[in-house]
Amino acid sequence: MQIGIIDIGSNSIKLLIGESNQTGRFDQIRFEVEEKRIGEGMTLKPPRILEADIEKGAKAIARLHQIARPYNLAELKIVATSAVRDAANQTEFATAILDRTGIGIDILSGDDEARLIGKGALQDPDLFDLGNFILIDLGGGSMECIQFENRVQKAHQSFNLGAVRLASSYIENRALPLSPNDERSIEEHVTQTLSHSSARDHSGITTAVLTGGASSILDALLFSRSNSASATISDLQSLCQEICSANLEDRVTRLGIPRERADIFPTAATIIRTALENLKCDVARFTRYNLRAGLIAEMLEN
């Protein structure tokens, strides 16, 4: 049985098609990404999706829908997270998607998003050796923290700490290196927000698993330097310092950060580094199994 998910994030829109296998998990059949950011209006009052972003988002979703159509899908679900969840004009956006695809979108609560991200990470064979860890998923609009003990979710929370959201709040010119004052402002905001996190009471867990678009890029950058599947907090701190001191063109041409994400990447790196420091995690591992994997796993179970 094949199932598809179109995941509308704040920074990109993704399609995952999975097929159930004999292990009770699923095989990835197809994965597509549309780098279409719809979250730039999250810091407006009230938050909303900009008209131009509604149009480009709807077109991207329609393209992914067309890619999925030839597959014999038992179900294709379209879900949305932080940018749509917070938007005052979410109905207008949902109507634009319905008009182009004939499918209504499911707007996930922050709690459901965090729970499903945790479920997705458990599908990753490379994490089967891990029992106790904190999973951190940084997106454009929010960041989810999920605490595992003996591979069971003990707590999960969603915070409005996304990279697009904080870049819009604190960074005036994203083409410049991140100034020490702006970096400090982001650090203080993340620290204050995480002071209310249940993940801070984690009984000595020192391993974090990072997921999301920014984490995948960090993973590639760190692997190119150390050829290791994990990183220490000092590795991350050194890399973050290099990222934050680079201007936009330097991030793209010298560091190899994708242009579509390079403007917010110093903010993303600072959020991740500060989160690990606050949660007292000294080792980081990475996974690409997150929300979409969790949704497919849950749909196959049902």
Side-chain angles (χ1 to χ4, degrees), residues 42-293:
M42 285 185 291
T43 57
L44 299 175
K45 298 187 184 304
R48 66 181 183 272
I49 303 171
L50 304 177
E51 290 300 319
D53 292 342
I54 291 177
E55 181 62 21
K56 75 178 181 183
K59 286 182 177 178
I61 293 161
R63 284 193 292 271
L64 294 175
H65 181 244
Q66 287 300 313
I67 290 171
R69 287 188 69 178
Y71 292 85
N72 184 29
L73 299 182
E75 185 176 1
L76 175 63
K77 182 175 285 191
I78 303 177
V79 302
T81 54
S82 183
V84 181
R85 180 165 65 231
D86 292 351
N89 60 342
Q90 60 177 237
T91 301
E92 181 184 349
F93 182 77
T95 300
I97 306 310
L98 181 63
D99 289 345
R100 286 167 171 81
T101 66
I103 301 174
I105 66 173
D106 290 342
I107 302 174
L108 299 178
S109 68
D111 187 73
D112 279 343
E113 183 180 2
R115 177 184 62 81
L116 287 162
I117 289 166
K119 190 177 189 70
L122 292 178
Q123 310 302 309
D124 186 351
D126 290 339
L127 299 182
F128 285 175
D129 63 309
L130 272 184
N132 302 331
F133 60 97
I134 297 173
L135 177 66
I136 299 173
D137 185 330
L138 177 66
S142 63
M143 183 179 78
E144 284 67 45
C145 293
I146 305 97
Q147 179 184 342
F148 288 88
E149 293 181 14
N150 297 318
R151 296 185 61 79
V152 175
Q153 286 194 42
K154 292 298 184 181
H156 56 258
Q157 288 178 282
S158 179
F159 303 96
N160 284 339
L161 290 175
V164 177
R165 188 187 297 271
L166 266 60
S168 297
S169 297
Y170 291 106
I171 312 303
E172 184 173 345
N173 187 342
R174 301 180 195 175
L176 298 177
L178 188 64
S179 73
N181 284 341
D182 288 343
E183 185 175 13
R184 192 175 308 112
S185 295
I186 294 168
E187 289 172 349
E188 290 172 354
H189 184 95
V190 173
T191 298
Q192 175 62 29
T193 303
L194 289 181
S195 67
H196 307 294
S197 170
S198 58
R200 290 172 66 93
D201 302 320
H202 53 55
S203 304
I205 297 173
T206 59
T207 297
V209 175
L210 306 180
T211 190
S215 295
S216 295
I217 297 168
L218 282 176
D219 182 18
L221 292 172
L222 288 162
F223 187 81
S224 70
R225 288 159 167 75
S226 66
N227 201 33
S228 173
S230 63
T232 65
I233 184 65
S234 60
D235 293 333
L236 276 168
Q237 289 166 335
S238 296
L239 178 58
C240 289
Q241 185 176 26
E242 186 177 357
I243 291 165
C244 292
S245 63
N247 63 33
L248 180 63
E249 284 305 310
D250 218 18
R251 289 171 225 153
V252 175
T253 57
R254 182 172 62 83
L255 296 178
I257 297 168
R259 186 171 293 277
E260 298 86 357
R261 293 175 179 264
D263 63 326
I264 61 167
F265 208 74
T267 302
T270 301
I271 295 168
I272 291 170
R273 172 185 59 76
T274 306
L276 264 63
E277 290 169 349
N278 273 269
L279 298 174
K280 296 181 170 53
C281 293
D282 54 23
V283 175
R285 290 172 62 173
F286 300 87
T287 182
R288 286 169 172 76
Y289 286 71
N290 43 36
L291 174 62
R292 294 169 297 282

